[in-house]
């Protein structure tokens, strides 16, 4: 799900502004119906046998009666930030379980830096493409770039990301989530250094492609690692927070660009500034444990010794949940996860192939996830941002005369609205935010079309429409598309399904990038915004008819309740 755009006036049309939204996580044990049978508990009673089914010392039972009062247990995850004893049980019984933030922070933060570095590339590129082609500022003898060459500078990381997505599909399950993200960080470092020190145009493009391969791996590995290592209660909040990191990266890129834009060779610093951040990401991911689910999945697939991987999974869980969890609780958690994985693989050989993503529950998941990341791109985000500076100029905003300052203004507003999504996604749910946000996108696009067609004497309409678009996007398609992608795929095809969703996103990103110029010339701004508005209406219908609510459900619950 990459979001990108262009800034005119001072910026060339080839400057791509992209942003992805990424995904979530959950580390828990859920027993699907039929996997393990237990007698239902009498109301108000806890059986001692349930004591093993706790995430930490005195957690609530995982299995609770369903809201409907039937004989089927509702699958719930309960975690507590507490030490020994029973403190906290009463509070847990009254509402959602508490959990400790301390073990959650680092397993989220270091993968999220992969998103921040992707966003940084977006923001830095907007300034770097101005610097690199300037006779006075480039600091090179090959500054006189053609429009095609400049387009390659701007979109080189996009081509690399497409390649990285394909590569992730083939090797990600072999490497594991953690090593995939370490590899992504290494490619970020290599790409930034090669680009920053590039002696000629060819080496510059090679560096851009290497950095882009890192983007492709990071956008695949981060959702999986976060999805498999953190509590489900705050899954929506964290995926939205990851989008916040991407937008923050864009804003940092804009700021660095504005600081270096007047310096000779400033583009080298713009591209190279990501190196220390990528080094932090690499060191951080190296110190984190591997995903417990991935370890157990490989064991079930016969790709590793079962007993050794079970011990490694217990060690990973201990690192991820804190030292308060007892050995018995962790061992039971591992056993239950193995049961769930074996049930998912029952009667099937091997680890599956690409065609399984287009069958049964996986096809339904791909329709939802792939459809969201496709509409995320083809509803015109790049084109709206392309006209951002000219729209603000018509409204009399002096900041619009400086492309870097306009970029910062848009970045700040995107950051603000993403913060709204972070606060509300686990409160309001996915569907309400999507429906309201996509409806706002459609309205803003029709307002922009009307502005260019008949309302050009009312600049406040254009400014309002622009801000409505950016705000509506950041509370809907921006964070929630990748939240849904990370949640919706069944365990068996989750890695491959997310790979295809990432590929769909970058592919549609490229399509919009390269189709915009001829469409603009052929249709004009009024008609192109009307076209995007019509597509937004179709996307709203798609959301209403196809996208389920996954708020509060674990990954296994989504698979058993929504995809069946």
């Amino acid at each position: 799900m990459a979001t990108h755009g262009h800034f005119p006036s001072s910026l060339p049309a080839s400057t791509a502004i992209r942003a992805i939204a990424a995904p979530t996580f959950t580390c828990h044990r859920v027993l699907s119906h039929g996997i393990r049978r237990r007698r239902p508990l009498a109301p108000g009673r806890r059986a001692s046998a349930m004591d093993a089914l706790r995430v930490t010392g005195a957690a609530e039972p995982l299995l609770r009666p369903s809201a409907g009062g039937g004989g089927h247990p509702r699958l719930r995850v309960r975690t507590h930030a507490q030490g020994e004893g029973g403190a906290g049980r009463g509070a847990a019984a009254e509402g959602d379980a508490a959990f400790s933030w301390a073990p959650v922070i680092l397993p989220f933060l270091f993968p999220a830096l992969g998103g921040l570095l992707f966003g940084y590339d977006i923001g830095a590129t907007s300034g770097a493409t101005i610097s690199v082609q300037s006779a006075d500022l480039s600091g090179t003898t090959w500054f006189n770039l053609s429009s095609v060459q400049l387009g390659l500078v701007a979109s080189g990381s996009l081509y690399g990301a497409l390649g990285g997505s394909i590569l992730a599909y083939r090797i990600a399950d072999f490497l594991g989530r953690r090593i995939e993200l370490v590899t992504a960080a290494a490619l970020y470092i290599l790409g930034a250094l090669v680009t920053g020190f590039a002696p000629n145009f060819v080496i510059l493009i090679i560096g851009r492609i290497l950095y882009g391969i890192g983007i492709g791996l990071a956008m695949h590995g981060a959702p999986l690692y976060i999805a498999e290592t953190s509590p489900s209660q705050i899954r929506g909040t964290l995926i939205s927070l990851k989008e916040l990191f991407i937008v923050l990266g864009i804003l940092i890129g804009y700021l660095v660009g504005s600081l270096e834009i007047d310096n000779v060779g400033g583009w080298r610093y713009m591209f190279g500034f990501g190196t220390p951040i990528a080094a932090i990401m690499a060191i951080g991911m190296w110190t984190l444990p591997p995903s417990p689910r991935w370890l157990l999945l490989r064991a079930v697939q016969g790709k590793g010794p079962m007993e050794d991987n079970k011990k490694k999974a217990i060690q990973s869980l201990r690192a991820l949940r804190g030292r308060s969890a007892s050995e018995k609780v962790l061992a039971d958690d591992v056993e239950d996860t193995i049961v769930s994985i074996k049930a998912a693989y029952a009667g099937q050989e091997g680890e599956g192939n690409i065609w399984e993503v287009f069958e049964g529950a996986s096809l339904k998941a791909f329709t939802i996830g792939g459809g969201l990341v496709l509409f995320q791109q083809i509803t015109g985000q790049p084109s709206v941002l392309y006209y951002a500076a000219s729209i603000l100029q018509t409204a009399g905003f002096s900041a619009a005369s400086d492309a870097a300052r306009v970029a910062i203004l848009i970045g700040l507003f995107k950051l603000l609205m993403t913060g709204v999504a972070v606060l509300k996604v686990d409160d309001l749910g996915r569907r309400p935010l999507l429906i309201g946000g996509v409806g706002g996108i459609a309205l803003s696009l029709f307002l922009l079309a009307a502005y260019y067609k008949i309302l050009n004497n009312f600049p406040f309409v254009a400014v309002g429409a622009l801000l409505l678009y950016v705000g509506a996007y950041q509370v809907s398609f921006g964070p929630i598309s990748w939240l849904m992608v990370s949640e919706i795929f069944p365990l068996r095809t989750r890695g491959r399904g997310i790979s295809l969703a990432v590929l769909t996103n970058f592919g549609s990103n490229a399509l919009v990038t390269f189709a915009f110029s001829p469409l603009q010339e052929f249709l004009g701004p009024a008609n192109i915004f009307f076209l995007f508005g019509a597509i937004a209406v179709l996307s709203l219908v798609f959301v209403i008819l196809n996208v389920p609510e996954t708020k509060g459900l674990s990954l296994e619950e989504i698979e058993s309740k929504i995809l069946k």
Side-chain angles (χ1 to χ4, degrees), residues 42 59 89 144 157 188 215 292-293 309 470-471 533:
R89 288 184 180 179
N144 191 21
S157 60
Y188 276 143
I215 291 173
R293 269 200 183 87
N309 278 26
V470 171

Side-chain angles (χ1 to χ4, degrees), residues 142 234 251 261 290 330 334 501:
W142 41 274
I234 54 169
L251 184 57
I261 194 69
L330 297 178
V334 166

Side-chain angles (χ1 to χ4, degrees), residues 141-194:
T141 58
W142 41 274
F143 62 85
N144 191 21
L145 302 179
S146 68
S147 59
V148 172
Q149 289 175 319
L150 197 60
L152 287 174
V153 173
S155 61
S157 60
L158 173 60
Y159 290 118
L162 283 167
S165 301
I166 297 171
L167 184 64
Y169 179 84
R170 300 302 307 171
I171 69 170
D173 282 344
F174 169 74
L175 291 178
R177 306 5 173 168
R178 170 175 161 268
I179 299 300
E180 182 181 7
L181 287 168
V182 171
T183 304
L187 285 165
Y188 276 143
I189 294 171
L190 182 61
L193 291 176
V194 170

